[in-house]
Amino acid sequence: MHTSALVMFSGGQDSTTCLALALSKYDRVETLGFDYGQRHSVELQARHTVRQQLAAQFPQWAPKLGEDHVLQLDVLQQIGGSSLTEDVAFAMQADGLPNTFVPGRNLLFLTVAGALAYRRGLQVIVTGVCETDFSGYPDCRDDTMKAMQLALNLGLAQRLRIETPLMWIDKAQTWQMAQDLGGQALVDLVVRDTHTCYAGTRDALHDWGYGCGSCPACELRAKGWERWRAMAG
Ligand code: ZN
């Protein structure tokens, strides 16, 4: 029986929805974030606000929300070459991936998450990766997650489970999941307190949240919001 989870938590819409789901399912939930010199380090501040607000507004979840861990992974910045960690414009690469792709990022994140889960005695790793309407990042694929779960369990001699609740749903359905888990209060929290924008902009509050409105992350979030509002009528 799995009763405890470590949520890969960046402070964005997806990982906040995953955190809410984990709090609704498991008795003990800890969160893990990474500081890897990302341009949107405002995400790291959003993490604190989201955790605080979840505990304040959802008393049934508050006692389950355990420690927060933030680990430094500046090795990704040392390798460089991504528009997420360097001041270069968003563009497509010759191999068809956007230059926001940070090679090996999720592989590294999951390896570190597995090590931390081992130390903390946590049984499930929850991550908001998604194949459906994402940028085609190969380290977000279901097969990659299954292979990582196998590698971690072999290498750590554990029975960890990597859970990916958003893998097969789109952004509109992610908004719906927030609604199902915590009603309007959770939707409002996601809009107001989470951060997704790659540019790190929080100047203007749109219906779907704060952001520049034009980077790939904002576009995806805004489109998902509009589709969801259209579905909800
Ligand atoms: Zn943006």
Side-chain angles (χ1 to χ4, degrees):
M1 203 27 200
H2 293 88
T3 60
S4 63
L6 178 64
V7 178
M8 318 268 284
F9 179 57
S10 69
Q13 176 189 356
D14 291 347
S15 66
T16 296
T17 308
C18 287
L19 177 54
L21 181 72
L23 288 166
S24 72
K25 278 174 76 171
Y26 299 113
D27 298 336
R28 182 163 68 99
V29 177
E30 299 188 8
T31 49
L32 169 61
F34 296 105
D35 185 355
Y36 57 100
Q38 61 267 54
R39 284 165 122 195
H40 47 301
S41 64
V42 61
E43 264 194 2
L44 295 173
Q45 278 132 47
R47 300 175 76 258
H48 294 293
T49 313
V50 168
R51 280 178 46 96
Q52 239 167 27
Q53 289 299 316
L54 280 174
Q57 295 185 46
F58 300 90
Q60 71 277 31
W61 293 343
K64 302 171 162 193
L65 183 59
E67 260 184 62
D68 183 36
H69 311 266
V70 176
L71 301 175
Q72 308 294 321
L73 281 181
D74 54 2
V75 64
L76 289 171
Q77 200 170 22
Q78 288 171 43
I79 295 168
S82 163
S83 68
L84 277 198
T85 52
E86 282 172 30
D87 195 13
V88 296
F90 299 112
M92 295 303 283
Q93 302 175 164
D95 63 2
L97 287 171
N99 68 351
T100 48
F101 178 56
V102 181
R105 178 175 58 173
N106 276 341
L107 307 181
L108 187 58
F109 284 4
L110 284 163
T111 302
V112 173
L116 184 65
Y118 178 97
R119 280 287 175 233
R120 302 291 304 162
L122 299 164
Q123 301 155 318
V124 180
I125 296 170
V126 184
T127 168
V129 291
C130 171
E131 270 200 24
T132 309
D133 60 1
F134 208 47
S135 322
Y137 295 159
D139 58 347
C140 291
R141 287 180 192 152
D142 192 48
D143 286 351
T144 308
M145 293 301 121
K146 291 193 163 81
M148 281 306 290
Q149 178 175 290
L150 179 62
L152 288 174
N153 284 327
L154 290 171
L156 295 167
Q158 293 291 303
R159 277 285 171 194
L160 292 169
R161 191 169 75 213
I162 296 180
E163 205 168 88
T164 57
L166 310 185
M167 183 59 78
W168 306 113
I169 68 174
D170 64 19
K171 285 275 184 199
Q173 292 166 298
T174 304
W175 285 110
Q176 184 60 44
M177 186 184 286
Q179 170 88 58
D180 294 342
L181 287 165
Q184 191 60 40
L186 186 58
V187 172
D188 290 346
L189 187 157
V190 170
V191 166
R192 197 183 50 242
D193 296 325
T194 69
H195 185 85
T196 303
C197 175
Y198 284 152
T201 302
R202 288 186 75 77
D203 298 341
L205 178 60
H206 311 268
D207 289 346
W208 45 266
Y210 288 97
C212 72
S214 55
C215 76
C218 281
E219 278 182 4
L220 200 57
R221 178 163 164 157
K223 275 191 198 137
W225 172 269
E226 280 154 24
R227 267 204 321 278
W228 178 57
R229 295 316 301 159
M231 274 161 44

